[in-house]
Amino acid sequence: MSVARKTKVTNNIRALRFANGEMTQAQLADRIDVTRQTVIAIEQGRYSPSLEMAFQIARVFGVALEEVFGYDEPD
Amino acid sequence: MTNEEPLLPYGERYAWGYMTTAIAVPVVYVIVMLGRLRGVPADQVDFQVPLFIAVGASIVLNMFLAPPPRKGRDRRDERDKAISAAAERAGFGALGIGFLLPFGLVLAEVDYVWIAGAIYLVYCASAVATSIATIVGYRRGL
């Protein structure tokens, strides 16, 4: 049973990592200067990164911000 | 090197160590003080020395259980800082509410030993609240 609180920000980081030479979470963390646990938390939707970090992640993959992150509209 | 990064983030490891100290030391203090209070009037009990020892023991124990971050290994990023800030707010809230207890004891004009003990325990409870909020922040997310 998961007790993790999900954010409304969705992301494709996992897919993008694999599409970019199977980049590891540790490698991505190094590129954006955060801990691996933070990358894991973002991927699992337990943490919404700042706008600055979001841009850094998109820049690592060479894509637009919208291709990395989405936002679940409230019902 | 990030590949050698520990499984638990530094902030969570620190919180576990800090909480252990914040629970273990006051438990010993309470046991010692209850022993001293047995059969002795509260206004004649020496509580200053045990209190100083408890505070000192907390500092020393924290040096081992909650050491400062290691250079190059214990990286802190914006998530760590956000969790820390949220946890500090929780701890401060616990402190604010908890201080009603010693405040009430002062108004009731009880012996100093109870007031000092209550202040000390409220500080410890605040540390525990901060630690729990930190761990929850890491486990559940913000």
Side-chain angles (χ1 to χ4, degrees), chain B residues 12-29:
Chain B
E12 189 177 342
R13 277 186 285 124
Y14 181 91
W16 280 111
Y18 193 57
M19 184 166 69
T20 303
T21 302
I23 292 173
V25 176
V27 163
V28 174
Y29 173 79

Side-chain angles (χ1 to χ4, degrees), chain A residues 5-60:
Chain A
R5 185 184 298 161
K6 292 267 182 184
T7 70
K8 287 178 178 172
V9 178
T10 59
N11 70 84
N12 300 315
I13 295 176
R14 189 177 164 79
L16 285 162
R17 280 195 299 108
F18 281 94
N20 281 266
E22 301 200 356
M23 182 187 294
T24 64
Q25 291 169 329
Q27 286 168 335
L28 176 59
D30 271 346
R31 295 280 293 273
I32 58 175
D33 196 27
V34 300
T35 62
R36 189 170 59 86
Q37 289 88 0
T38 293
V39 170
I40 293 169
I42 295 170
E43 274 194 19
Q44 294 177 346
R46 286 188 288 115
Y47 177 66
S48 297
S50 67
L51 194 55
E52 188 176 344
M53 194 195 293
F55 272 111
Q56 287 174 340
I57 293 170
R59 186 166 292 176
V60 167

Side-chain angles (χ1 to χ4, degrees), chain B residues 1 12 14 46 50 80 85-86 95 102-103 109 134 139-141:
Chain B
M1 183 88 182
E12 189 177 342
Y14 181 91
D46 174 32
D80 297 295
L95 194 65
F103 185 61
E109 297 184 354
T134 302
R139 296 289 168 104
R140 283 190 57 194

Side-chain angles (χ1 to χ4, degrees), chain B residues 18 22 86-104 115-131 133:
Chain B
Y18 193 57
E88 287 295 332
R89 282 196 295 276
F92 190 74
L95 194 65
I97 294 167
F99 254 93
L100 292 174
L101 174 65
F103 185 61
I115 297 167
I119 291 172
Y120 173 62
L121 292 180
V122 168
Y123 267 117
C124 294
S126 163
V128 171
T130 303
S131 305

